[in-house]
Amino acid sequence: MSRRGLFFSFEGIDGSGKSTQARLLAEALKPFWTHVTLTREPGGSPGAEEIRRLLVEGAPNRWSPTTELLLFNAARRDHVERVIRPKIADGHIVITDRFADSTRVYQGASHPEMRRLADELHAEVIGIEPDRTFIIDMDPARALARGLARRSGEDRFEEMGEAFQAKLRDGFRDLAQEYPTRCVVIDGDRPEDVIAGEVLAQVRALI
Ligand code: ADP
Ligand code: TYD
């Protein structure tokens, strides 16, 4: 018999340790839950990964703010349709490295007038929120040093610099206040295993 799964997201500025924590949570859950799906945005399904390349490569001003918002939502719609909803319905715990809060904060920080449209699009074409969102909070200078050290070639957003990252950090903190029951702020400037232990304790309380 299948039961509904659960949906968790990790959010935060670039280099804060989201991917690390998403992976550690997926590993830590295996003894407790048979099916765990680890995924990411932008991307997470074949179509959305194609759209990802349009979003993360190239010049920072490659797209207009509205076009960029539509591309993030097109990618997310495919990810939700093809992966997130079917897996949750099949009893999986789905863990995503970024979701809609990244759009609210990144696209909202660059262009505040985009926030209203982001919320409207989310309601119309996405329509799902995580059961819990872990916001990994981190000093931008330290996070940026971690992120740029990777030199992945996907630096379209990271190249926007430290002042922008500081604005994003404030954006994520504001979002946590806006959605106090869904979002939890986690101090990311600690050893990986300490952060992972705190996240796992919160997740275990929900399963
Ligand atoms: P994000 O997904 O938020 O961009 P990553 O998980 O890829 O961040 O981590 C960025 C870099 O920082 C990686 O090199 C990773 O190994 C390192 N890292 C992650 N978490 C920690 C931590 N708690 N302490 C020190 N370094 C970390
Ligand atoms: P990601 O691969 O998570 O970058 P990182 O591991 O460096 O944190 O995401 C790529 C970039 O896309 C990142 O700078 C954040 C940005 N982004 C948005 O601007 N809006 C969104 O909705 C999402 C999902 C990501």
Side-chain angles (χ1 to χ4, degrees), residues 13-20 97 146-147 150 188 190-192 195:
I13 62 176
D14 305 279
S16 58
K18 297 174 306 299
S19 316
T20 303
D97 176 358
R146 284 182 185 175
R150 287 175 297 169
R190 295 176 296 165
E192 287 176 13
I195 302 169

Side-chain angles (χ1 to χ4, degrees), residues 165-203:
Q165 296 289 331
K167 206 169 167 185
L168 296 172
R169 181 192 203 184
D170 291 343
F172 279 116
R173 286 172 156 179
D174 290 348
L175 209 65
Q177 295 199 327
E178 203 180 322
Y179 298 99
T181 43
R182 175 172 64 81
C183 296
V184 185
V185 178
I186 304 277
D187 175 7
D189 203 357
R190 295 176 296 165
E192 287 176 13
D193 58 331
V194 173
I195 302 169
E198 186 178 327
V199 170
L200 182 63
Q202 299 221 15
V203 167

Side-chain angles (χ1 to χ4, degrees), residues 13 34-37 57 78 109 116 138 153 160 163 171 181 186 205:
I13 62 176
T34 321
H35 301 296
V36 178
T37 294
E57 294 171 10
D78 193 62
R116 181 192 55 77
M138 184 70 201
M160 292 179 184
T181 43
I186 304 277

Side-chain angles (χ1 to χ4, degrees), residues 126-145:
I126 308 298
I128 181 174
E129 294 287 2
D131 293 296
R132 197 65 101 241
T133 294
F134 298 102
I135 294 177
I136 311 295
D137 183 56
M138 184 70 201
D139 172 65
R142 289 169 66 86
L144 198 66

